[in-house]
């Protein structure tokens, strides 16, 4: 945990940024409540999950902790109610129908659901996310929904081991965000960067990095 925080701080300094500009999301999918509790005791407050049933079980087991929960997985329409009821943030909104359901289903006693629109920045056929040339329209429509607060854009670019190649899609996402802000939106969040590419993402302006493996170790999906 501390090693990851140090690496984020170093990447920020290298990019001429203040480390306080970069929020660390601990991606805890597949890890046990005990692992989250340990990270919490080390000061971590924001955790991200991708699988609904697993997330709800952890929330129940960790009810005594003041965790801010983020949903980063794919969203089928039948999951919107559980997201609206249980999460503070959702990073993976990629179509209007899902956003409309989240807004309708957000309970009145909770603050607005904080939202990022996921963009398929590398245009991979297999990936979730709205196409870059359709992101404008979706972002403007989501921004109008009453119980959502559109905060920014999220992307999971195609992997690469070269930092120069890693930076390109992150730069594209930042450019898209800047364009939307010129059009009158107020997006303060670029949710980009994972264990293998967060240095590149921070160099291109990431202010939320989603890191799992580097904190908790390798995931074992077989035991799910
Ligand atoms: C699993 C996941 C991450 C974390 O990936 P690591 O490589 O373990 O850091 C980040 N973002 C999304 C959307 C994920 O599904």
């Amino acid at each position: 945990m501390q090693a990851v925080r140090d690496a984020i701080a170093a990447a920020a300094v290298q990019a001429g940024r203040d480390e306080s500009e970069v929020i660390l999301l601990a991606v805890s999918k597949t890890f046990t409540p005990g692992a989250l509790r340990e990270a919490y005791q080390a000061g971590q407050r924001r955790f991200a999950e991708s699988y609904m049933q697993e997330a709800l079980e952890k929330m129940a087991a960790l009810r005594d902790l003041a965790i801010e929960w983020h949903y980063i997985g794919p969203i089928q329409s039948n999951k919107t109610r559980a997201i609206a009821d249980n999460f503070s943030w959702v990073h993976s909104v990629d179509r209007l129908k899902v956003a409309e359901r989240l807004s309708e289903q957000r309970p009145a006693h909770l603050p607005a659901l904080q939202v990022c629109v996921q963009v398929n920045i590398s245009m991979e056929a297999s990936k979730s996310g709205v196409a870059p040339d359709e992101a404008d329209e979706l972002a403007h429509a989501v921004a109008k929904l009453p119980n959502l607060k559109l905060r920014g854009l999220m992307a999971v670019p195609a992997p690469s081991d070269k930092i120069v190649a890693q930076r390109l899609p992150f730069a594209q996402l930042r450019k898209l965000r800047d364009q939307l802000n010129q059009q009158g939106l107020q997006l303060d969040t670029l949710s980009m960067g994972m264990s293998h590419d967060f240095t590149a993402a921070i160099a291109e302006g990431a202010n939320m990095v989603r890191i799992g493996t580097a904190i908790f170790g390798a995931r074992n999906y077989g035991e799910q």
Side-chain angles (χ1 to χ4, degrees), residues 108-152:
H109 68 276
L110 293 178
L113 182 60
Q114 310 294 300
V115 171
C116 291
V117 163
Q118 182 173 356
V119 182
N120 187 358
I121 201 75
S122 305
M123 296 288 280
E124 292 173 277
S126 60
K127 281 277 171 66
S128 342
V130 64
D133 62 356
E134 293 166 12
D136 272 33
E137 195 182 338
L138 178 59
H140 285 283
V142 171
K144 294 195 179 89
L145 294 171
N147 301 319
L148 306 185
K149 169 82 182 148
L150 180 63
R151 295 294 298 270

Side-chain angles (χ1 to χ4, degrees), residues 62-78:
L62 299 170
R63 227 194 301 273
D64 56 313
L65 307 183
I67 289 177
E68 181 179 279
W69 293 100
H70 293 238
Y71 187 80
I72 61 173
I75 310 176
Q76 290 88 38
S77 291
N78 64 5

Side-chain angles (χ1 to χ4, degrees), residues 27 29 50 72 154 156 194-196 210-214 219:
V27 178
K29 63 187 184 211
S50 303
I72 61 173
M154 184 274 245
V156 183
M194 303 165 46
S195 293
H196 66 283
R210 307 178 311 272
I211 300 186
T213 312
R219 283 182 290 276

Side-chain angles (χ1 to χ4, degrees), residues 28-86:
S28 45
K29 63 187 184 211
T30 78
F31 294 100
T32 61
L36 278 77
R37 193 174 285 278
E38 201 177 308
Y40 187 94
Q41 277 154 5
Q44 184 62 27
R45 292 293 177 270
R46 298 175 176 96
F47 291 86
E49 292 282 336
S50 303
Y51 309 112
M52 186 56 67
Q53 195 51 42
E54 182 197 333
L56 296 178
E57 284 165 20
K58 282 180 209 173
M59 287 173 182
L62 299 170
R63 227 194 301 273
D64 56 313
L65 307 183
I67 289 177
E68 181 179 279
W69 293 100
H70 293 238
Y71 187 80
I72 61 173
I75 310 176
Q76 290 88 38
S77 291
N78 64 5
K79 280 194 200 150
T80 53
R81 185 172 297 280
I83 294 171
D85 281 348
N86 294 288

Side-chain angles (χ1 to χ4, degrees), residues 193-210:
M194 303 165 46
S195 293
H196 66 283
D197 59 8
F198 68 84
T199 300
I202 289 169
E204 294 296 347
N207 43 22
M208 258 194 207
V209 290
R210 307 178 311 272

